[in-house]
Amino acid sequence: GAVVSQHPSWVICKSGTSVKIECRSLDFQATTMFWYRQFPKQSLMLMATSNEGSKATYEQGVEKDKFLINHASLTLSTLTVTSAHPEDSSFYICSAWDTHTGELFFGEGSRLTVL
Amino acid sequence: AQKVTQAQTEISVVEKEDVTLDCVYETRDTTYYLFWYKQPPSGELVFLIRRNSFDEQNEISGRYSWNFQKSTSSFNFTITASQVVDSAVYFCALSEAGGGADGLTFGKGTHLIIQP
């Protein structure tokens, strides 16, 4: 079946640095991808909707200048956490919508730890 | 606005017992989709089911079954003869368009612990 891959699976960085997380749809084209954040023992919260070739749509309360989303191709969306701080430590999960099959697929998630 | 409520934060049962996870949703739309996902300790989401609002038939898949009741806005999930491998966090989720094309609203999850 369709696969969505995230990279890296986990990353540790120093406070103040920027971190990029990639989300790839491996065998289908995804005009729409979604980014979620999950803090420990909490639910998944939608951060933003990433649309290929256009600006991302951010949910209320999510800082678009801090969480930069780029969806430059039909198979790749990237989330860059800029000037990361310890409070940004979280599990980030992407999902991709396959318009041909009408199915939604999730990546494996990326665990970010900011020291 | 859409909302998903999973009132059970944690459930602990002994292996081979049946267990039901509750999910109550709120939406203004007449067309919507409901989902259940399993999240094991590794973190990845495992898709279990997607059901649209026009299909109220109960679903059974092996030891798993789902009961969709529009009258009570509930979409409950039952595991029959539970096993230790069923231990995980289970999320119920809602989408108001296209089966997931606009993203999902998740409940807070139910942590299911199956004791041997």
Side-chain angles (χ1 to χ4, degrees):
Chain A
V3 177
V4 173
S5 178
Q6 279 186 244
H7 178 81
S9 300
W10 57 271
V11 57
I12 301 173
C13 71
K14 292 182 178 181
S15 185
T17 60
S18 294
V19 174
K20 180 185 287 187
I21 301 170
E22 294 184 346
C23 178
R24 292 182 184 274
S25 56
L26 297 184
D27 57 1
F28 67 96
Q29 294 182 333
T31 56
T32 305
M33 292 184 173
F34 306 92
W35 287 96
Y36 294 84
R37 178 170 54 185
Q38 184 182 29
F39 291 111
K41 298 188 184 301
Q42 294 191 26
S43 186
L44 288 82
M45 299 300 295
L46 181 64
M47 299 174 65
T49 301
S50 171
N51 299 298
E52 188 267 336
S54 65
K55 291 183 179 180
T57 304
Y58 290 83
E59 296 299 304
Q60 194 172 11
V62 177
E63 300 174 59
K64 62 180 180 181
D65 294 331
K66 179 168 186 62
F67 298 99
L68 301 179
I69 292 172
N70 184 278
H71 195 154
S73 79
L74 287 171
T75 58
L76 174 65
S77 175
T78 60
L79 168 68
T80 301
V81 183
T82 62
S83 187
H85 288 92
E87 56 266 31
D88 299 321
S89 298
S90 186
F91 192 55
Y92 293 88
I93 307 176
C94 72
S95 65
W97 174 252
D98 185 341
T99 54
H100 289 290
T101 64
E103 296 177 273
L104 185 68
F105 298 96
F106 280 85
E108 315 97 317
S110 300
R111 195 168 301 280
L112 170 64
T113 301
V114 184
L115 302 177
Chain B
Q2 51 190 341
K3 183 179 178 181
V4 176
T5 301
Q6 294 179 256
Q8 304 150 309
T9 304
E10 183 174 290
I11 299 175
S12 180
V13 300
V14 177
E15 198 173 21
K16 298 184 182 177
E17 288 186 14
D18 299 347
V19 59
T20 295
L21 283 62
D22 298 333
C23 173
V24 174
Y25 62 92
E26 294 177 29
T27 176
R28 296 177 193 164
D29 283 8
T30 55
T31 302
Y32 52 90
Y33 294 79
L34 295 163
F35 302 75
W36 275 96
Y37 287 90
K38 174 182 180 180
Q39 187 178 44
S42 57
E44 83 275 16
L45 288 179
V46 178
F47 170 80
L48 297 178
I49 191 171
R50 179 178 74 176
R51 175 54 53 88
N52 74 56
S53 54
F54 297 107
D55 184 0
E56 286 193 74
Q57 281 193 334
N58 291 334
E59 176 92 9
I60 298 175
S61 177
R63 296 184 297 107
Y64 296 170
S65 62
W66 290 268
N67 182 271
F68 180 23
Q69 297 278 348
K70 286 180 76 171
S71 60
T72 56
S73 297
S74 65
F75 187 45
N76 297 336
F77 171 37
T78 298
I79 300 176
T80 303
S82 60
Q83 299 176 4
V84 172
V85 293
D86 296 326
S87 297
V89 179
Y90 290 85
F91 289 98
C92 180
L94 169 70
S95 172
E96 286 182 334
D102 62 345
L104 303 184
T105 296
F106 285 85
K108 292 188 175 183
T110 297
H111 184 197
L112 178 63
I113 302 168
I114 310 298
Q115 301 181 31

